[in-house]
Amino acid sequence: SRGNATIIEKNDTCVLLDCGFSLKETSRRLARLGKTPEDIDAILITHEHGDHVRGAPMFAKKHGTALWMTEGTFQNYRYFDGYSPHLIGVDEPFEIKDIEIRPVAVPHDAAEPCQFLLSDGDINFGVLTDLGKITQPVIEHFIRCDALLLECNHDLEMLRNGSYLASLIQRVGGDFGHLNNQQSADFLASIDHSWLQHLAIAHVSEKNNCLDKAKEALISVLHCPEEYIDVANQELGLDWRHIQ
């Protein structure tokens, strides 16, 4: 939760999904992947929580980058005052050059949160984090992904027996919080995961989860070797993954 951002590229189209790092840190991480801020065509925002949005206003202002978000996200993040973003509706697809984008509504403790399914018409990449439960519309939209970035936020027993206050345990583990390992595994069981070329887990709690538990839950469904599952490390992120 110290920062989230995902870069997606198709041909000469490059979008940034969320921008939760400072301007300097975002530029540094882009450079590690061989990109500059000027390469980014647009920033897609999932919701207004700081670890997903805090760097977006300054990035957009400095580099003239287009912002795309729901009306609820725009109205509930005061640092967007003075900006004129592209407002999107959940389940209303749109295009940014070579990438088709579908916002999908998710249950989370934000004003009008969404996650995104991105496609070039043949290949589908899903980003699914920051939701407290899997809904039927989520299953229907993410039923066939060639690559997936999936939240495995916490182990339920570690959360219940950890150091968090009762109110925070209820928030994180509730229907508008974050997915636990078993919920993510159950989601994979409900979709056609035979299409998956790449699977990376994200938003892993440093206090209420461990990678062994997260991977074990997913492997029980996928029956895959452990090395098949990537982890979006908070410090290092991920290297490029090529989807064919």
Side-chain angles (χ1 to χ4, degrees):
S1 297
R2 285 178 279 139
N4 295 273
T6 305
I7 188 171
I8 303 102
E9 183 178 55
K10 170 67 178 181
N11 297 332
D12 65 345
T13 306
C14 195
V15 300
L16 190 63
L17 197 161
D18 284 336
C19 187
F21 299 102
S22 69
L23 189 60
K24 180 179 179 180
E25 181 64 10
T26 301
S27 298
R28 185 187 73 81
R29 290 179 180 240
L30 285 173
R32 189 177 66 82
L33 296 173
K35 293 296 176 182
T36 68
E38 289 73 25
D39 292 323
I40 304 301
D41 293 297
I43 300 176
L44 311 175
I45 302 297
T46 59
H47 62 294
E48 71 272 17
H49 291 170
D51 58 318
H52 292 263
V53 74
R54 68 170 59 93
M58 288 301 297
F59 191 103
K61 181 178 181 179
K62 181 172 182 178
H63 302 291
T65 313
L67 295 170
W68 297 72
M69 68 193 74
T70 65
E71 174 77 25
T73 297
F74 176 57
Q75 296 294 341
N76 284 272
Y77 191 68
R78 63 189 180 92
Y79 297 106
F80 284 138
D81 288 350
Y83 289 80
S84 298
H86 297 272
L87 297 179
I88 60 178
V90 293
D91 202 24
E92 294 180 5
F94 59 95
E95 295 182 0
I96 298 176
K97 296 171 64 176
D98 292 327
I99 300 178
E100 303 170 7
I101 302 159
R102 179 180 291 275
V104 179
V106 294
H108 192 51
D109 57 349
E112 194 181 4
C114 65
Q115 294 296 310
F116 291 99
L117 185 68
L118 303 99
S119 177
D120 65 357
D122 294 314
I123 293 172
N124 298 320
F125 170 52
V127 178
L128 192 60
T129 71
D130 294 77
L131 68 165
K133 65 179 180 179
I134 299 295
T135 63
Q136 189 59 36
V138 166
I139 294 173
E140 292 171 358
H141 286 303
F142 288 81
I143 192 74
R144 204 225 82 180
C145 288
D146 299 276
L148 183 64
L149 184 66
L150 177 64
E151 174 171 74
C152 284
N153 178 256
H154 59 279
D155 171 78
L156 193 55
E157 288 305 312
M158 288 181 67
L159 176 67
R160 288 171 174 168
N161 299 320
S163 60
Y164 279 8
L165 295 174
S167 58
L168 187 53
I169 291 173
Q170 185 176 11
R171 173 188 172 269
V172 172
D175 285 349
F176 294 89
H178 293 272
L179 294 181
N180 63 53
N181 298 334
Q182 190 58 53
Q183 286 174 303
S184 296
D186 291 343
F187 165 70
L188 288 176
S190 70
I191 65 171
D192 186 359
H193 53 75
S194 65
W195 289 90
L196 278 178
Q197 300 175 34
H198 299 282
L199 173 65
I201 57 177
H203 230 307
V204 180
S205 172
E206 295 177 344
K207 293 184 177 180
N208 300 308
N209 208 354
C210 68
L211 293 181
D212 287 344
K213 288 180 179 292
K215 289 184 176 182
E216 180 182 1
L218 304 191
I219 290 171
S220 69
V221 173
L222 299 176
H223 306 292
C224 63
E226 181 178 345
E227 56 268 23
Y228 172 77
I229 301 173
D230 285 321
V231 179
N233 179 278
Q234 181 70 67
E235 300 300 331
L236 301 176
L238 285 171
D239 290 328
W240 284 107
R241 296 293 183 270
H242 298 281
I243 314 168
Q244 300 179 345

